[in-house]
Amino acid sequence: MHEQIDLVTTPAGDLVAMAHCNNGTVDLNAWVSLFGQVGAALGAQVDANALFETLYRAALEGDADGGGMLAYNYLAGEHVTGLEAGRPLFVRTPASTFTLANFMRTHLFSSLGALRVGMDVLLKDEGVQLDSMFAHGGLFKTKGVAQGFLAAAMDTPVSVGDLAGEGGAWGMALLASFVRAGGGDLAAWLATEVFAGAEVETMTPVQADVEGFDTFMERYRAGLVIERTAVDSL
């Protein structure tokens, strides 16, 4: 038993050990929005997709560990790290390399931090071995950025399909369509009716990024006392 891990099943009834994180990209999106507001104040009207693409790709130019900086994306509490409430934080030291590339890399890393903590319970404490992972959600719309960082965080190949930008509401619509189609074998229906023509791209971990993410996680774990203090004080 691990309180960080939820025991659930897939809609088809397969058993799942889930590292469930409460915070995703809301804080990251807020920073992107802020940069968009700066652009607008300067008279530049930038398409939202282009803004995300530009800022996310900037992260690829950052230092492997994010330049010695730290962020927590905790708008809500995060049970995986023992926080009952959240305070979004960005912290750097005088020695940190404060650049746009490192800033974006740090916040993208932060969006995966709690997930890594939860997955470490399975990978390190329970000895689970991963063959590969599939990723989906808006975070992966910019090809080759968050996907590569997730591969580094898990030290596992990560695959993303061309429908990766769709999320939970779309999944529920698929289940409704499955029921209306008469049910049966859900996995087979998805394979033949939904994903048969889907294009899938796989990224393998880059060793330098794996080491950089590990360094970031050492900072992330050590800095949780800062997050705790913020929750208690503000």
Side-chain angles (χ1 to χ4, degrees), residues 25 29 52 56 135-143 146 163-167:
T25 61
N29 294 345
F52 274 95
Y56 278 25
H136 70 92
L139 180 63
F140 302 99
K141 281 188 174 182
T142 301
K143 290 186 177 181
L163 297 174
E166 306 296 343

Side-chain angles (χ1 to χ4, degrees), residues 126-230:
E126 291 295 332
V128 171
Q129 295 183 345
L130 296 178
D131 297 318
S132 64
M133 296 187 71
F134 281 87
H136 70 92
L139 180 63
F140 302 99
K141 281 188 174 182
T142 301
K143 290 186 177 181
V145 181
Q147 182 182 2
F149 292 161
L150 179 59
M154 301 294 108
D155 196 9
T156 300
V158 172
S159 298
V160 171
D162 54 1
L163 297 174
E166 306 296 343
W170 181 71
M172 292 304 294
L174 287 182
L175 289 177
S177 297
F178 170 69
V179 172
R180 292 187 64 182
D185 187 324
L186 176 60
W189 182 82
L190 290 171
T192 58
E193 299 295 330
V194 180
F195 299 115
E199 296 183 4
V200 176
E201 295 184 5
T202 301
M203 293 187 69
T204 56
V206 176
Q207 186 58 34
D209 288 340
V210 173
E211 295 172 359
F213 200 95
D214 286 346
T215 300
F216 171 81
M217 284 305 301
E218 292 175 5
R219 194 180 310 128
Y220 185 95
R221 293 176 185 275
L224 284 169
V225 64
I226 307 172
E227 178 69 19
R228 163 54 62 189
T229 302

Side-chain angles (χ1 to χ4, degrees), residues 9-207:
T9 67
T10 69
D14 296 320
L15 295 175
V16 175
M18 180 172 65
H20 180 210
C21 307
N22 290 339
N23 295 280
T25 61
V26 178
D27 186 51
L28 177 60
N29 294 345
W31 282 108
V32 173
S33 176
L34 183 67
F35 284 122
Q37 293 174 46
V38 173
L42 293 171
Q45 297 299 323
V46 181
D47 174 76
N49 289 330
L51 183 62
F52 274 95
E53 177 95 12
T54 299
L55 291 174
Y56 278 25
R57 292 210 173 282
L60 297 175
E61 305 301 321
D63 297 330
D65 72 332
M69 300 189 289
L70 178 61
Y72 292 101
N73 62 333
Y74 294 6
L75 273 83
E78 193 61 78
H79 74 282
V80 171
T81 52
L83 276 297
E84 72 284 352
R87 300 291 184 272
L89 285 176
F90 170 63
V91 184
R92 62 189 178 98
T93 71
S96 298
T97 306
F98 189 34
T99 64
L100 176 63
N102 282 333
F103 182 87
M104 291 306 303
R105 192 178 186 96
T106 294
H107 279 84
L108 283 160
F109 277 10
S110 175
S111 70
L112 303 172
L115 174 64
R116 168 64 181 269
V117 172
M119 290 300 293
D120 275 350
V121 174
L122 295 173
L123 300 177
K124 296 183 178 180
D125 296 351
E126 291 295 332
V128 171
Q129 295 183 345
L130 296 178
D131 297 318
S132 64
M133 296 187 71
F134 281 87
H136 70 92
L139 180 63
F140 302 99
K141 281 188 174 182
T142 301
K143 290 186 177 181
V145 181
Q147 182 182 2
F149 292 161
L150 179 59
M154 301 294 108
D155 196 9
T156 300
V158 172
S159 298
V160 171
D162 54 1
L163 297 174
E166 306 296 343
W170 181 71
M172 292 304 294
L174 287 182
L175 289 177
S177 297
F178 170 69
V179 172
R180 292 187 64 182
D185 187 324
L186 176 60
W189 182 82
L190 290 171
T192 58
E193 299 295 330
V194 180
F195 299 115
E199 296 183 4
V200 176
E201 295 184 5
T202 301
M203 293 187 69
T204 56
V206 176
Q207 186 58 34

